Amino acid sequence: MNIGQAIVILRKEKNLSQEQLAFNAGISRHFMYRLENNLASPTVKTLEKLASALAVRPSTILENAEKLPAE
């Protein structure tokens, strides 16, 4: 599952910078970088914050991640 790439795609669709999404989700930009590069995995709470900031359901992020090739 490629959650990081799914987040990047949704972020770009919403025309948000990495810094803007991190701020809107209430997480650090460094952690956002780690998530997008699959160096860290989001907790359920973080996934909910990201989904809220992206105006999607958490399941949308997971469904998109399953469709992408694993890294």
Side-chain angles (χ1 to χ4, degrees):
M1 187 177 300
N2 195 337
I3 292 177
Q5 188 62 31
I7 293 169
V8 171
I9 291 168
L10 287 167
R11 175 174 62 77
K12 289 182 178 182
E13 285 176 0
K14 304 289 183 173
N15 293 316
L16 293 170
S17 70
Q18 193 179 69
E19 188 171 3
Q20 288 171 317
L21 178 55
F23 178 80
N24 293 346
I27 61 175
S28 72
R29 197 206 57 75
H30 178 70
F31 187 52
M32 185 80 251
Y33 168 85
R34 292 180 49 79
L35 289 172
E36 288 189 354
N37 288 284
N38 292 311
L39 300 172
S41 296
T43 63
V44 171
K45 182 132 183 114
T46 300
L47 190 63
E48 290 172 343
K49 289 179 179 183
L50 289 167
S52 178
L54 291 165
V56 298
R57 294 178 311 178
S59 61
T60 300
I61 297 172
L62 296 175
E63 288 166 3
N64 290 352
E66 287 180 350
K67 295 175 188 174
L68 296 167
E71 284 192 353

